[in-house]
Amino acid sequence: MFSGNCSIPSLHSIAAGDEQFLEKLLSVSPSETSLEAVVLVMESSLRYFEHLFEDFIPGGKYSGVVDDVVVDRTRCASATNRFIESAFGFVDRLFNHSPHMRIYRREARLLIAKNHTMAWLSSKSSEERLAIVSAARASISTVRAEETHAKSLLAEAILQKSLEKEKGYNAKVALQVKKRNQAVDAISTFGFIISVNSISALLGSSSETARANALVAQIRFRERTLLQPPPEKGIYKLSNKDGSCRRTSSEETHRSHRGRSEW
């Protein structure tokens, strides 16, 4: 199987469970590569299943005696996910078949189908069926009111979420505008420099603090106002923790610009 060669001439002509089928499987002679692949797969599977079932294998929190609270919470849990997958498929079909159906009607259809309500109702006497149906019909207005209220709450929650998202976006835009204005104000002191010679002249006639401020102003103006992509990765990452860090970063940026006519 792992070598890519099938030991069975035709799987379509051999029924599963047939003696010939079993004989062919047992007579497979794997290659060294196949054995190595099996080892890798099994080791990976072991790590995967140990992580997946760590709460249930010896030493896990559910491996020994489980308290009554956990038992009560899980007493209706199915051993497989077949039922819930079937419910998902039923709901998906309702969405495709009747996309405008109200939520409470979808829920009712799902519960009736999966709980076998009609079979249960058929087992009752005619008097009991009449009483059950009458009680259900009498509660229609209440169910509709509850569904309308739930729909209103959902719409309000969606609106609130949208407003929060818009508020966050507006705050982000406002911060970008603030930083852009700060970059314009900072560069107004030194002017916009585009040549290496001009930068060298500025740095040669300035103090260390002024030199760092000048380079940072040039870089931030290009980053935040002109929105220029950096010529080198990490060139916009300057430290503001102390003066020495700023001077070091600025000097590295200055050296990276040597040899360029402009940026």
Side-chain angles (χ1 to χ4, degrees):
M1 178 176 64
F2 290 100
S3 62
N5 298 321
C6 182
S7 61
I8 303 174
S10 176
L11 289 176
H12 297 286
S13 61
I14 302 176
D18 191 272
E19 293 182 1
Q20 184 181 4
F21 181 78
L22 180 60
E23 181 181 352
K24 290 292 184 179
L25 290 179
L26 295 177
S27 65
V28 174
S29 300
S31 63
E32 292 296 329
T33 304
S34 301
L35 293 176
E36 183 180 356
V38 170
V39 172
L40 293 175
V41 171
M42 296 303 294
E43 290 179 347
S44 300
S45 299
L46 178 62
R47 291 193 298 268
Y48 170 76
F49 287 113
E50 284 180 344
H51 175 72
L52 184 64
F53 300 109
E54 61 180 350
D55 292 337
F56 305 95
I57 60 178
K61 59 183 180 180
Y62 299 135
S63 62
V65 179
V66 182
D67 57 41
D68 295 337
V69 176
V70 176
V71 173
D72 184 66
R73 285 169 48 194
T74 59
R75 61 189 175 88
C76 295
S78 176
T80 66
N81 64 343
R82 293 180 180 178
F83 182 83
I84 189 62
E85 290 293 341
S86 176
F88 286 153
F90 187 88
V91 174
D92 183 68
R93 180 181 176 279
L94 289 180
F95 271 102
N96 293 329
H97 184 266
S98 305
H100 303 294
M101 182 183 294
R102 292 178 178 270
I103 295 178
Y104 75 90
R105 287 181 60 86
R106 299 181 195 276
E107 182 180 2
R109 292 280 298 274
L110 174 64
L111 293 176
I112 290 173
K114 296 304 175 182
N115 291 336
H116 308 289
T117 304
M118 299 309 296
W120 168 80
L121 190 61
S122 299
S123 65
K124 303 295 181 179
S125 63
S126 58
E127 293 79 7
E128 289 177 317
R129 286 199 300 270
L130 180 60
I132 293 172
V133 172
S134 299
R137 288 177 175 175
S139 63
I140 290 178
S141 59
T142 302
V143 172
R144 285 179 176 173
E146 292 176 352
E147 193 272 340
T148 302
H149 179 64
K151 185 177 180 180
S152 176
L153 292 179
L154 178 61
E156 183 179 351
I158 293 175
L159 177 60
Q160 185 64 28
K161 192 69 176 180
S162 301
L163 293 176
E164 292 176 358
K165 184 177 181 180
E166 183 178 1
K167 182 179 179 181
Y169 173 77
N170 292 336
K172 183 179 180 180
V173 172
L175 180 60
Q176 292 175 346
V177 173
K178 179 181 178 181
K179 289 183 177 181
R180 184 162 61 245
N181 294 335
Q182 290 175 344
V184 173
D185 294 338
I187 203 174
S188 61
T189 305
F190 310 100
F192 182 53
I193 300 174
I194 61 174
S195 66
V196 175
N197 293 334
S198 299
I199 293 179
S200 300
L202 176 64
L203 298 180
S205 61
S206 304
S207 63
E208 290 185 355
T209 301
R211 178 171 57 191
N213 292 335
L215 283 177
V216 171
Q218 297 295 322
I219 293 173
R220 292 302 181 224
F221 182 78
R222 287 168 167 80
E223 174 193 11
R224 297 171 178 173
T225 304
L226 301 182
L227 303 179
Q228 290 183 351
E232 295 178 8
K233 184 179 180 180
I235 217 170
Y236 285 152
K237 296 180 180 179
L238 302 179
S239 174
N240 292 321
K241 292 183 179 180
D242 54 62
S244 61
C245 290
R246 291 186 63 178
R247 288 194 296 273
T248 301
S249 299
S250 299
E251 291 292 348
E252 292 176 354
T253 303
H254 175 222
R255 287 196 296 270
S256 70
H257 290 168
R258 290 187 182 278
R260 293 192 180 96
S261 58
E262 64 179 32
W263 173 25

